[in-house]
Amino acid sequence: MHTVWVRLNAVVFFGLTVLLCLSILAALSKFNHTSHHQPIIQKLALNNMKSLKNHGGVDRALLSFDLQADMTPAFHWNIKQLFVYVIATYKTDTNPKNQIVLWDRIIENTDPPEKKMLNEKNVFVKYGLVDQGAELRGKEVELSLHWDHMPLTGTLFVGKQKEGTESTFRLPSEYL
């Protein structure tokens, strides 16, 4: 006869093994989904340049943009939430690649369908476009939409707008 402790040990570790197998299956189920089911981005474009100023030795641009995107295709049963953000990318002589997050939002899986549809007009940036120096004037800036899949179980996945569909604009050559 086995003691109570041996039986309890067998039951607990059997349960943990089943839980591990289910977690592995859940993680494997998302591999094809994230590459084939991309959000639909209709529009991401500059709406208005509010200001471009030099403050404390650094250039700072404040702007607004329009964003229309359907994030619903990015969700499936294993996604808890999406962290969606707009990135501005530009080049300077000092730094060949600069990327700055201008705006972000968290979309939960439990949110209603209308919250998964981003229809933002004239959105003022949450975080200003700030350069490390005074090199923003006259630069070409590219706006792109990125998102992080945060699953219930499994690895994190970062998605972004398809290459060639980003929006570009040129900053003024003089301070506003």
Side-chain angles (χ1 to χ4, degrees):
M1 287 281 163
H2 294 292
T3 66
V4 172
W5 297 114
V6 172
R7 290 180 185 185
L8 182 63
N9 185 26
V11 168
V12 167
F13 278 95
F14 175 74
L16 289 174
T17 304
V18 169
L19 189 61
L20 174 68
C21 291
L22 290 175
S23 295
I24 290 171
L25 288 174
L28 291 175
S29 73
K30 76 167 199 76
F31 282 120
N32 273 343
H33 182 85
T34 52
S35 60
H36 294 301
H37 300 283
Q38 297 288 321
I40 301 164
I41 302 164
Q42 288 97 6
K43 182 179 184 182
L44 174 60
L46 175 72
N47 185 312
N48 187 16
M49 175 63 63
K50 306 269 186 200
S51 72
L52 175 61
K53 296 180 180 177
N54 187 295
H55 179 71
V58 297
D59 281 354
R60 173 176 296 168
L62 298 176
L63 52 102
S64 66
F65 60 90
D66 294 334
L67 171 62
Q68 292 178 346
D70 180 9
M71 303 306 287
T72 308
F75 283 93
H76 62 83
W77 71 272
N78 192 26
I79 296 294
K80 180 181 179 186
Q81 64 187 14
L82 288 180
F83 181 70
V84 182
Y85 49 102
V86 173
I87 289 185
T89 306
Y90 64 96
K91 297 176 185 176
T92 62
D93 295 334
T94 308
N95 298 309
K97 185 173 185 180
N98 298 281
Q99 290 186 316
I100 299 173
V101 174
L102 299 177
W103 175 88
D104 61 20
R105 176 174 293 164
I106 295 174
I107 304 172
E108 301 276 342
N109 191 21
T110 56
D111 286 345
E114 57 270 7
K115 285 211 171 187
K116 295 176 184 172
M117 298 282 293
L118 300 174
N119 192 13
E120 307 288 334
K121 292 184 181 4
N122 201 22
V123 179
F124 190 69
V125 294
K126 280 187 178 180
Y127 319 106
L129 177 56
V130 180
D131 188 44
Q132 292 177 337
E135 300 182 67
L136 270 182
R137 288 172 291 165
K139 298 297 180 202
E140 187 169 301
V141 178
E142 178 182 275
L143 294 178
S144 59
L145 188 69
H146 295 242
W147 55 92
D148 294 342
H149 292 89
M150 298 183 185
L152 295 170
T153 182
T155 58
L156 296 176
F157 174 78
V158 177
K160 66 178 185 174
Q161 192 171 348
K162 291 180 183 173
E163 295 289 330
T165 62
E166 299 91 352
S167 158
T168 59
F169 64 93
R170 185 166 294 280
L171 290 168
S173 56
E174 298 297 324
Y175 292 121
L176 300 176

